[in-house]
Every structure is written in C-alpha cells, then in structure tokens.
Amino acid sequence: EDEQIVAEIMGRRFFPDLIAYKTWEGFHFAGHEIRITEATDCYGAVVWPSALVLCYFLETNSKQCNLVDKNVIEIGAGTGLVSIVASLLGAFVTATDLPELLGNLQYNVLQNTKQKCKHQPCVKELSWGIDLEKNFPRSFCHFDYIMAADVVYHHPFLDELLLTFDHLCKNDTVILWAMKFRLENENRFVDRFQTLFDLEMISNFPSLNIALYKAMRKGRMKA
C-alpha cells in the first residue's frame, strides 16, 4: 500500500519536454498544472518529497480538511508548492520564508495562482523566532492552519522553529506537518514539539521515510 500511494504521489510530478531558459518542474494538483521554478544552489528553492506528500493529502482529503475561506500560513514555504495548492483549494494563504527566498517564492505563487484562486495568496518574510510579535501580532493574526513541509533538518534554528510554531498557533489552530526522518538529533525535535502540542500521525510512508502529522495545542485535539 505504501509503494502504491507513493507511486501516485510521485506521479504528480512531471518535467518539461524541452529545456527552457528557466529550470522548472511541473506538478498536477487540485485540477491544475503547476510549474515551479527552482534553484539548485539553495535548500529552500527545491521541491522536496515532503511537500508532495502534504499536497497530496490536502487534495485527497479536501472534504475532511476543507480549506475554503480558511486562513492558512505556511512556514518555510520554499518554492511555494504547498501554498499554491492550498490557495487553489480555496484558502487565504500567507506563504513565508527567509528574505533571500522571497523573490522566487513570489514568482511561483503569482504565476500559478493569478486569476485561478478565490483568494490571492500573499508572500511575507518570516525568519523563525525573529520579530514574531511585531510581524505577526497575536491579537491580530489568527490562522486556522499552519502548514510545514520538511522544516526539520540539519540546521541550528530548531529552538526558533519551535518558538515560531508556539507563537502562531492559537487553541483552535491545526498544524499539518510533513517530516522526513534523518538524523537522531533532528528527530528529537519531535519530542520537544510534543511538550507543547498533541501530535497524531495521519500518514506514514516508510519507503520515503516521511511521516505526515496533525497537531494542536495540548488538550485541544479532541476538544
């Protein structure tokens, strides 16, 4: 079953027949052909398999996870694939990442959502743990969903990442997080995450070493 579903997920990716002046990959989600411009010299400018897993879940569970008119933020949006799919499914999306990635992110989001979405998504800088209250004040910002794909890997900002989840998450916010398991040090982030949030694995793909989680603040999962 794992291999069958993984084949279906990876089958959503396609490549151009001819080499263009810009490197791009194509994807089929939410009834649209999505073209993503990438850069191979930066982690954040490549589409990783965790993003495909999350997009596939959003599309195939659109009744249980109805995004229409929901307020969604994606952290570590990278190339923007997850944000684009969420937008095409009817959400109002804020796609965030580091300042050096915003140009490519904005390009991809605009190219794939203009005149196709109920709500035009916005792109905003978010450096984990920095100026959170200034840029995303708790009294003003309320997100129905926080989405993240492959944000836990070998980098020194896991404390800031947890702080960012904590700041953005209200009592009724749902976190959807796709994670590729790599090194033990990074995997320990899951234990720390669970000090603040109840965590439920909703999909698991051993052949990709990727798990998809749903999380809410402690005590809220079944409230």
Side-chain angles (χ1 to χ4, degrees):
E1 183 181 359
D2 168 50
E3 292 180 358
Q4 181 179 349
I5 298 177
V6 167
E8 164 65 15
I9 293 171
M10 294 305 158
R12 300 301 184 93
R13 170 183 263 154
F14 68 93
F15 299 92
D17 295 327
L18 299 174
I19 298 175
Y21 73 99
K22 284 188 176 182
T23 302
W24 61 271
E25 285 188 69
F27 303 87
H28 292 289
F29 286 108
H32 291 268
E33 179 182 295
I34 300 167
R35 294 190 178 192
I36 296 293
T37 301
E38 299 182 323
T40 56
D41 59 346
C42 179
Y43 281 133
V46 176
V47 177
W48 299 101
S50 292
L52 274 68
V53 167
L54 183 47
C55 289
Y56 181 81
F57 172 82
L58 295 177
E59 181 187 85
T60 57
N61 292 272
S62 58
K63 290 184 178 179
Q64 305 94 301
C65 181
N66 185 354
L67 296 183
V68 177
D69 297 332
K70 296 297 193 297
N71 201 11
V72 172
I73 186 169
E74 184 186 6
I75 61 175
T79 59
L81 180 61
V82 172
S83 288
I84 291 164
V85 172
S87 297
L88 293 171
L89 291 171
F92 182 84
V93 177
T94 303
T96 71
D97 215 313
L98 296 169
E100 59 267 27
L101 297 173
L102 295 188
N104 188 58
L105 176 58
Q106 178 71 66
Y107 175 82
N108 284 328
V109 167
L110 185 62
Q111 291 297 310
N112 290 285
T113 62
K114 189 176 182 181
Q115 298 181 338
K116 297 178 182 178
C117 297
K118 185 175 183 180
H119 308 288
Q120 186 60 38
C122 68
V123 172
K124 189 171 181 179
E125 176 184 343
L126 173 52
S127 299
W128 297 338
I130 298 175
D131 292 333
L132 293 175
E133 182 58 29
K134 175 184 175 182
N135 296 323
F136 299 89
R138 289 180 188 269
S139 60
F140 178 75
C141 294
H142 183 283
F143 298 105
D144 299 294
Y145 290 92
I146 299 171
M147 298 188 184
D150 227 358
V151 293
V152 178
Y153 54 90
H154 185 59
H155 63 71
F157 304 109
L158 294 179
D159 289 343
E160 291 82 357
L161 174 59
L162 187 60
L163 184 65
T164 301
F165 273 124
D166 184 40
H167 180 84
L168 297 174
C169 189
K170 294 290 202 301
N171 282 342
D172 58 349
T173 301
V174 175
I175 298 171
L176 294 174
W177 167 30
M179 175 178 175
K180 182 176 179 66
F181 286 84
R182 294 182 174 91
L183 303 175
E184 183 59 33
N185 184 47
E186 293 144 31
N187 296 347
R188 281 200 288 271
F189 179 84
V190 175
D191 296 330
R192 297 175 55 209
F193 185 87
Q194 289 184 97
T195 64
L196 298 175
F197 304 99
D198 289 324
L199 195 63
E200 175 190 351
M201 183 185 292
I202 53 179
S203 296
N204 186 30
F205 303 101
S207 62
L208 295 174
N209 211 23
I210 292 173
L212 178 60
Y213 293 105
K214 173 185 175 182
M216 294 186 74
R217 282 206 174 276
K218 277 204 166 293
R220 303 296 302 183
M221 189 75 85
K222 297 179 181 179

